[in-house]
Amino acid sequence: MSGGAQGGDVPKTGAIRAIARNLGWMLASRGVLAVLSLVYLAIVTRTLGVEGFGRFALITGASQALATVVGFQTWQIIVRYGTGHVEPGGEARLARLFKACGLLDLASAILGVVLAAVIIRTWGEALGVRPVHARATMIFTVAQLLSIRSTPLGILRLRDRFSFAAAADSVTPVVRLIGAVTAAVVLPSVTGFLIAWGLAEVLTAAAYWGALARTGDLRLLFARGTGVRDVVRDHPGIVRFSLATNASSSLGLSAKQIPLLLVGGTVGTASAGAFRLALQLAQALTKVSQLLARAAFPEIVRAVAAGGLARVRQMILRSFLMATVVAAFAFLIVVLFGHPVLTLMGGKAFGRAYPILLWLAAAGCIDLVTVGFEPLLLAANRIGATFVARVIGIVALFGISFWLSPSLEVIGVSIAVLVNALVVALLLGIATWSLLQAKPSVPA
């Protein structure tokens, strides 16, 4: 094809620059979040202490785990299947796709609310939810579940409006900081901070929908006369892709919340507090890897659609080398400054979380190094490989946790988190290597 030669340089230059631009906007937002999160977490830990912060962490962790399990990653669906309809003439199909994803988000949120009510009523105290906190916990969970923003996030990324998404993301740390200060003065309790965190979720979702209104896509999303019955016909394989990505992402993201719940259930709320603070710092690395994946995914989808897998080999190699350097530097920073930061934020009682932080940071570095693998597998329709990797990783996480936690307690769970990261990275790496060695290109 005549355009093939010209287009062949896209992944090497244009796509890399596009990923860097997208990542720049996302890092600008997350940079604000990272700085402010240290401040508001210090307020929460200093106000509640180890025991109270542990209870707060268990409640928010359980809520986030539930939201992850029931929620679909509709932003991936929109980017994956909307890319072919952004040209003139594709508005009707885009409208159907947007509306179907919005309805999917709403249905999963309603299901989550019902499950949350049952779980809090039946197993609330086992999860660290005292009766006095039950109402605030339910309010926070409902706010998180109904703060739907995956669909607008996908639309903004499809349109390359990463700056709008970054601005909306910045609402979370700002509102949490204001809410933490207010709660510490007015209602210095677990309930007070839950209210502040719930408000941050609602206002962040509102910011996303406001950004969507500015792009004009809100009109497309709510266009009259646009049904969703033809979505499956428009996009063969969309049901399988949606279910598989939901299962894979749910397993992957739940692996970040499950260890906290294991610590709370097997060791106690005080240890959960120390684990949560260490996890919060270590997850900064995981967030960087998620940002890289989200920034790269639209470009990988476009590259695969335009020229097949041969065109993305160099892109994946570059991302791997860049992520390895960043991960090594990040781990060195954690080793040198992790203990002072923990002590500064939570006091001497949280200093004992330093060994936990090292294990969790190592896991975060592994996630960061392999960041390009899963987006490529998803773009190339190798969804089953990501799901299998996540399932085996979760099995390893539970197995190692139950094996080591009786003797090593919270350290045992931390080691299990690293084992989970290593297993998933190895399996995704094998699948990616096999895919890139395949001779025929994989259609989008």
Side-chain angles (χ1 to χ4, degrees), residues 11 299-304 307-318 376 436:
E299 301 307 321
I300 291 175
V301 168
R302 294 184 183 110
V304 172
L309 295 173
R311 301 181 61 188
V312 298
R313 287 192 179 99
Q314 189 168 354
M315 187 191 305
I316 297 300
L317 177 61
R318 287 185 179 184
L376 174 60
L436 291 177

